[in-house]
Amino acid sequence: MLDYKPTPQEKEIINRTNNMFQMARKARSEVTKLWREAESLYQGKHWEGMNMPSYQNQITVDLIASAIDTMIPILTSRPPKIDIISVSGDDKGMNVAETLQSFMDELWQIRDMQNLIPEFLLDYLVYGTGILKTQWNNADEMPDCDIVDPFNFYVNPSATKLENAEWVCLASAMPIYEIRDRFENGKYVKAMSDLEKYSSTKMGISNFQDNKIQVTDTKGEETNYYDSYGKAMEDLEPKSLVIECYMRDPSKEYVMEEGKEVEKRKYPNGVRQVIISNGVMLYDGQTKYPFYNKENHCPHPFPFVTIKNTGSPHSFWGKPEPKRLKSLNLAMDRISSQISDNISLTSNPMFIVDETTGVDSQISNKPGQIIRKKGAGQVQMVQPPSMPNYVFNFYSLLNDVFETVSGVNKATQGKEASNVTSGVQAQIYRQASTTKIDFKSRTLDQAISVLGAMWVAMFKNLGSSVVRVNFVGVDGLPEARDMIGVMFRDVDLLVRSRAGSMLPENRMFIENKILQLAQLGIVTDPEYIVENMEMPSKERLLAKIREQKEQQQQPMQPDDLGGNEDEIYETLRNNPELANQV
């Protein structure tokens, strides 16, 4: 194995990066414990750490997972749409915006975002924080993104958002062969065996108590325990922890331009990227995306998109949804278990057996069982009292409180509301019942807008190959357009995200309102009505309506009314409104 000898400058930055990582890890230790607890609650592990007798029921009313699994389809039932808007408003800008809009629509499908966003939201709700990493895909030369495990993401302790973060670190275990393949200095990286979750190649696998798997290294110096052979085999692969750090660095340097020394930023967008692994410097330089700046409408220079589930404005991390629902769900678990215990006791009551009956071990509560006694004593069944009504009333109260706290109730689940009898009432009821989920939807829209801005900036600065997109014009006919991303580098574009969910301002509600106004004669413009309808071939129908409007607005010629005076007179007598169009 080759020995790595860093230069003094490399050694300094390696130590600095390690110190930042360890500082962030310690500062986030309490949050990590909270995440583990929230993860267990979502997985239905509500009874861990409770020493209860084996004869008592342990019923898990999995309302926490149900609430989260209900929110995600609501937020993604109609996925957010990225809109590209030209800032200049001129013909060139509008044309570029239309072309890029078609490109972004296709990219959304290519990257399978309709399935990635629900996974992004799952982290957002379970851990309180969802994280995406944007990147340029060299395979197809188009923007891409991946979900980042919150456990692998670190930020300086004083940061409350990426906009005011000084540095961020992404730490994840990577196989040794991949490190050597991706980085020139990867040949110096050695497998690590001092990590909690990742260890180097080991031998000596054996079963242990409680179905655990024991793995000991060849020297007998280290032993680890795993839940299954699968997890043990996964960790047997040689790995090392790769720390990828993005830090703000305003350093400047002098460069020669036109025979003169000019002072410039050493890192174009003021961010330095450092990648290390087990004491080896793998990369140190500017980021691949120096164009993440205000000019391209990116809120921060880091290649990450985060979404925060309320929590404190003074903390970077959001509040896990299971944590706020924990006490209510555990109380319902306990009451349900006690009710079940009572049912079991009622069906299998206790017996009082006199010592003189001669009955030893015949009683087993078997249905129809005959108990034979030899002595004069009595065998008496003791029926326990039924549970008082306040227990069920309290359980119902807990269920109502759970709906209030979670924001998931009968309206969001599509259940019948007995007091709602009209469409207007139903809409008001739904609007009032989805306030919390509506807020989460707006948070998601903001995150998608940031993702769209980064994708557009990436495509305008790195897209060097020809990309063909299908553009659908106002006539509804598809048109193939070829483009190269870097050709649009100087075009200023804004990106926004439009929500699309089952929330109060949904498409069906708007369509019904427009149709009602049309039936009353208040809305008479057919173009406006069709524009607000969700229907196939809408653009073609709109083009036909606009064509008819243009024909009606053009003045009629006398020859259009007939070939002679008698025909013109007859036409005007039958259609007097045509006289105003001549």
Side-chain angles (χ1 to χ4, degrees):
M1 180 66 70
L2 299 174
D3 291 330
Y4 176 69
K5 297 180 179 179
T7 63
Q9 293 81 5
E10 289 178 341
K11 190 172 182 180
E12 180 184 355
I13 191 62
I14 289 173
N15 292 334
R16 179 184 173 189
T17 304
N18 275 321
N19 290 337
M20 289 191 299
F21 169 65
Q22 295 298 335
M23 181 196 307
R25 188 180 180 188
K26 291 178 181 178
R28 208 198 63 186
S29 58
E30 294 300 321
V31 176
T32 303
K33 293 179 183 178
L34 185 63
W35 287 352
R36 289 302 181 196
E37 182 183 10
E39 191 177 58
S40 297
L41 289 170
Y42 176 72
Q43 293 173 351
K45 301 175 182 179
H46 296 185
W47 295 93
E48 289 186 345
M50 296 187 182
N51 297 322
M52 296 179 62
S54 58
Y55 59 83
Q56 287 190 345
N57 288 290
Q58 296 182 9
I59 296 177
T60 300
V61 184
D62 210 356
L63 291 179
I64 290 177
S66 176
I68 292 174
D69 292 343
T70 301
M71 292 180 196
I72 293 176
I74 290 176
L75 292 170
T76 59
S77 59
R78 293 184 61 223
K81 178 178 174 58
I82 298 176
D83 282 346
I84 311 298
I85 305 168
S86 171
V87 175
S88 62
D90 55 12
D91 291 341
K92 178 184 177 182
M94 295 293 290
N95 185 270
V96 171
E98 291 174 350
T99 305
L100 277 179
Q101 180 67 67
S102 300
F103 171 71
M104 294 298 287
D105 292 343
E106 289 188 11
L107 186 63
W108 189 271
Q109 300 298 325
I110 292 172
R111 297 304 181 220
D112 196 25
M113 297 300 291
Q114 61 271 18
N115 291 321
L116 187 140
I117 292 298
E119 296 175 359
F120 177 50
L121 287 173
L122 185 61
D123 282 350
Y124 161 65
L125 294 172
V126 173
Y127 303 114
T129 306
I131 306 167
L132 288 175
K133 182 183 180 184
T134 60
Q135 58 194 16
W136 181 255
N137 192 321
N138 292 318
D140 56 12
E141 295 190 356
M142 289 193 293
D144 202 350
C145 68
D146 285 318
I147 293 177
V148 174
D149 188 343
F151 289 93
N152 295 340
F153 190 80
Y154 300 86
V155 66
N156 62 291
S158 62
T160 59
K161 52 187 176 180
L162 287 178
E163 285 82 343
N164 61 19
E166 287 297 319
W167 45 264
V168 298
C169 290
L170 182 61
S172 56
M174 187 179 295
I176 292 295
Y177 75 87
E178 186 176 347
I179 296 175
R180 294 173 180 172
D181 183 58
R182 289 180 55 182
F183 304 100
E184 182 179 354
N185 285 349
K187 58 189 175 184
Y188 299 113
V189 178
K190 299 179 182 179
M192 299 177 68
S193 59
D194 56 347
L195 299 176
E196 295 178 356
K197 293 187 177 181
Y198 314 101
S199 52
S200 60
T201 301
K202 298 178 182 297
M203 297 176 60
I205 303 178
S206 60
N207 291 322
F208 195 66
Q209 60 184 8
D210 298 329
N211 297 321
K212 296 287 184 181
I213 305 300
Q214 176 179 300
V215 180
T216 307
D217 66 356
T218 52
K219 297 180 179 179
E221 295 177 351
E222 184 178 351
T223 299
N224 287 276
Y225 301 95
Y226 301 90
D227 293 332
S228 65
Y229 275 105
K231 290 187 179 296
M233 292 297 104
E234 183 180 341
D235 273 9
L236 285 176
E237 185 179 30
K239 295 179 181 178
S240 182
L241 189 68
V242 176
I243 303 175
E244 184 178 356
C245 185
Y246 298 84
M247 61 186 78
R248 296 184 189 267
D249 191 335
S251 300
K252 295 184 179 181
E253 60 182 357
Y254 289 93
V255 296
M256 296 297 295
E257 287 187 1
E258 299 178 357
K260 297 181 180 180
E261 281 193 348
V262 180
E263 187 181 29
K264 282 192 171 183
R265 274 187 168 186
K266 187 175 181 180
Y267 306 102
N269 64 340
V271 173
R272 179 181 185 179
Q273 182 182 7
V274 176
I275 304 176
I276 64 172
S277 180
N278 200 7
V280 177
M281 175 70 72
L282 300 177
Y283 177 81
D284 181 17
Q286 72 175 36
T287 70
K288 296 180 181 179
Y289 317 111
F291 39 79
Y292 284 171
N293 49 39
K294 299 297 182 181
E295 287 76 13
N296 286 307
H297 307 286
C298 297
H300 54 78
F302 304 108
F304 298 98
V305 178
T306 59
I307 182 172
K308 178 179 174 182
N309 187 25
T310 59
S312 170
H314 310 295
S315 172
F316 184 88
W317 311 106
K319 187 173 184 179
E321 204 69 27
K323 181 62 178 177
R324 70 176 82 239
L325 303 172
K326 174 185 175 182
S327 59
L328 291 170
N329 205 156
L330 294 186
M332 297 179 74
D333 290 344
R334 186 172 291 276
I335 292 175
S336 299
S337 301
Q338 290 173 346
I339 292 175
S340 181
D341 289 340
N342 185 265
I343 293 173
S344 300
L345 187 59
T346 303
S347 303
N348 301 278
M350 295 184 294
F351 286 82
I352 297 178
V353 181
D354 293 343
E355 292 183 355
T356 59
T357 59
V359 176
D360 187 11
S361 58
Q362 301 178 30
I363 300 175
S364 64
N365 283 352
K366 180 180 179 181
Q369 179 187 13
I370 299 175
I371 300 175
R372 302 183 184 278
K373 67 185 186 69
K374 299 177 181 178
Q378 297 294 320
V379 177
Q380 183 180 0
M381 178 188 296
V382 180
Q383 192 70 27
S386 60
M387 296 195 73
N389 289 331
Y390 68 78
V391 175
F392 301 99
N393 294 337
F394 182 62
Y395 187 87
S396 178
L397 176 63
L398 285 177
N399 190 53
D400 293 340
V401 174
F402 188 93
E403 291 182 356
T404 301
V405 175
S406 67
V408 176
N409 46 48
K410 293 182 176 62
T412 54
Q413 294 176 330
K415 295 181 180 179
E416 180 184 1
S418 57
N419 297 328
V420 177
T421 57
S422 70
V424 175
Q425 284 180 321
Q427 180 59 26
I428 295 173
Y429 177 58
R430 179 176 289 275
Q431 184 172 357
S433 63
T434 55
T435 304
K436 291 185 177 181
I437 303 180
D438 190 12
F439 176 77
K440 298 181 189 298
S441 177
R442 292 195 299 272
T443 306
L444 173 63
D445 293 341
Q446 179 60 31
I448 297 300
S449 296
V450 175
L451 173 64
M454 290 183 170
W455 272 3
V456 170
M458 197 181 295
F459 184 68
K460 289 196 304 179
N461 287 273
L462 299 178
S464 57
S465 60
V466 178
V467 178
R468 173 166 292 184
V469 297
N470 292 320
F471 173 74
V472 180
V474 293
D475 55 358
L477 299 176
E479 172 190 349
R481 290 187 179 182
D482 294 335
M483 62 176 178
I484 301 177
V486 293
M487 295 175 59
F488 305 148
R489 183 176 297 175
D490 298 329
V491 181
D492 194 4
L493 299 168
L494 281 174
V495 179
R496 70 175 183 183
S497 174
R498 286 189 299 170
S501 65
M502 345 172 3
L503 297 176
E505 296 76 19
N506 61 67
R507 174 71 61 179
M508 186 174 295
F509 176 71
I510 295 174
E511 290 179 358
N512 289 334
K513 282 295 182 183
I514 292 175
L515 290 176
Q516 290 176 6
L517 295 174
Q519 292 172 355
L520 295 173
I522 298 174
V523 177
T524 58
D525 185 2
E527 183 178 355
Y528 174 80
I529 296 174
V530 175
E531 279 181 344
N532 289 279
M533 294 292 170
E534 195 71 30
M535 55 193 302
S537 303
K538 181 173 70 173
E539 297 297 333
R540 187 177 301 177
L541 180 58
L542 284 171
K544 186 176 181 180
I545 294 173
R546 289 165 185 157
E547 183 180 351
Q548 292 175 352
K549 278 188 175 182
E550 291 177 358
Q551 293 176 355
Q552 292 174 0
Q553 291 173 357
Q554 294 177 357
M556 296 186 64
Q557 301 297 324
D559 293 341
D560 297 333
L561 301 177
N564 52 53
E565 294 180 357
D566 293 336
E567 291 180 358
I568 293 174
Y569 174 77
E570 186 66 24
T571 301
L572 291 176
R573 190 171 68 85
N574 295 330
N575 302 281
E577 69 277 1
L578 296 179
N580 296 326
Q581 301 180 21
V582 179

